[in-house]
Amino acid sequence: MRKNKNNKPIWGTRIKKNASTLFKKVGGSLLIDKLLFKEDIEGSIAHVEMLYKQKIINFRIKNKIIWGLKRVNNEIIKKKFKFNYDLEDIHMNIESRLFELIGEDAGYIHTARSRNDQVITDLKLWLKKATKKIIILLDSTNSNVLKLAEKNVMTIMPGFTHLKNAQPISLAHYLLAYVEMFKRDKKKFKNNLEFLDENPLGVGALTGTSFKIDRNYTTKKLKFKKPTNNSVDTVSDRDFVLDFLHSSLVCSLHISRIAEELIIWNSDAFNLITLNDKLVTGSSIMPQKKNPDPLEYLRGKTGTFIGNINSMISIIKGLPLSYFKDLQDDKELVFKSNDQLKISLSLLNDVIKNVVFNKKKMLSLAGIGFTTATDLTDYMVRELQYPFRKAYLQTAKIINFAEKKNKKLHELELKELKMIEPKLKADVYKILDLYSSINSKKSYGGTSFENVKKMIKKAKIKND
Ligand code: ARG
């Protein structure tokens, strides 16, 4: 915003003293919100065109302002714009430069608007674009995971619960779980677009305006879907910020779970994967080390997302309506989460492309810990018509016996099995095999190889 001849801010006639030096330094948001310059200018142009259409300003002034705004836009893009940190924010900087470029007519631009509706219009426009970029990144993440899944339908690994071997599964099935997580993230970001598509411009400081503005016109111009309903709510509302921070947080939680899992798999104790040298760092003292630092980075950075959403929740909690300076911090949190999410997703993609599965180790681990015990129970229910609980009990006795003999289930002789459950027959060995265990899980969403192939196909076509 323009300063007057005494180099005082626009409100200098009313407020006689300069703001305290410290507050001037910390109270501004320019360093952060200069990122919104494009959207600010886009919004201003739509506003001015609407003012002209509604005969609130004349043709000459409209053209002059738009010419000036476009010039400011170029100056910023070409890095020729002198940002003035004494002028609080990007809105005031642009307006002030407009005065320098076109003189007093610049003063018409702020007719029927306030920075309160201006700033959220900018932020919503910006968030719409950022959200769409994240959706694209989520799509490419999923297509990379799917490529990996396609190669590993027949790769057998132990499925864990409580990190104890539970039941054998196809590695591809496991990877498809990640696909589901990212599909949900995508949907969340997509859903956020609904509120982001409500146009705040024109609600003024908090009451609306006495000018005969046309909010539907700016809505169309700025490609929103409809104008917001209530002026007080509009300038107070930051739910759309919470939505973005929340969706980012949940996505980062997914990333951190995957990272943690891969860290475990990469440990010497598990040794289920090997990371390409691109994805490890060494130790300054232990020459042999290859540490999975990028994965730890991904896990650790989730803290940033948790912090950002907690900050925004704390700002909003108990804040009366309508606008308060407290809300100014929203943008920094949004930008930080957005930047970090893009970095984290891109890094995760590097990981996905550079991980090698130690298939032999996966297979041998899948055979440890009586992972086909449930199959044996199911067999007794099916073949011997036992109630599930009875079959469960008999299986537990067989496992105790095998444990004592230090044998796997399929290593027990038929006569040993029969000692505990006389009705068992030789065909029981078929179901103790890891492949047939997996292949028997044909229920919808289960790990059978056929299901997994179908699900990969489905995920590829219906990448929605
Ligand atoms: N820089 C401010 C923000 O980001 C713009 C809105 C200022 N409005 C006000 N009434 N002081 O929130």
Side-chain angles (χ1 to χ4, degrees), residues 29 33 89 91 115-116 119 323 327-328 331:
S29 58
D33 60 27
D89 53 31
H91 324 294
R115 278 184 301 157
N116 294 355
V119 69
Y323 178 85
L327 295 170
Q328 179 166 280
K331 289 167 285 300

Side-chain angles (χ1 to χ4, degrees), residues 132-198:
K132 286 172 189 165
K133 282 186 197 154
I134 288 173
I135 288 174
I136 292 172
L137 206 47
L138 283 167
D139 272 342
S140 70
T141 307
N142 262 349
S143 73
N144 283 326
V145 180
L146 279 170
K147 274 183 206 151
L148 211 53
E150 264 182 319
K151 289 187 206 146
N152 286 289
V153 175
M154 300 307 289
T155 308
I156 289 184
M157 65 167 281
F160 307 102
T161 63
H162 311 269
L163 212 52
K164 296 284 284 177
N165 289 11
Q167 294 181 311
I169 54 172
S170 149
L171 171 59
H173 190 58
Y174 208 82
L175 294 170
L176 285 173
Y178 298 169
V179 172
E180 292 299 318
M181 283 144 79
F182 291 127
K183 264 165 64 179
R184 283 199 295 278
D185 290 332
K186 185 179 161 184
K187 193 132 197 218
K188 275 204 189 70
F189 279 107
K190 251 185 163 173
N191 289 344
N192 293 345
L193 290 172
E194 189 181 337
F195 289 132
L196 286 176
D197 265 327
E198 293 186 4

Side-chain angles (χ1 to χ4, degrees), residues 295-306:
L295 292 170
E296 291 161 23
Y297 168 93
L298 288 175
R299 185 179 54 187
K301 282 297 174 193
T302 303
T304 304
F305 296 91
I306 298 171

Side-chain angles (χ1 to χ4, degrees), residues 11 27-30 33 36 88-92 114-120 205 238 323-331:
W11 43 71
S29 58
L30 180 61
D33 60 27
L36 294 174
E88 263 189 52
D89 53 31
I90 187 66
H91 324 294
M92 289 176 149
S114 150
R115 278 184 301 157
N116 294 355
D117 57 346
Q118 195 179 348
V119 69
I120 37 179
R238 291 297 181 278
Y323 178 85
F324 288 90
K325 185 80 166 174
D326 313 42
L327 295 170
Q328 179 166 280
D329 280 351
D330 57 357
K331 289 167 285 300

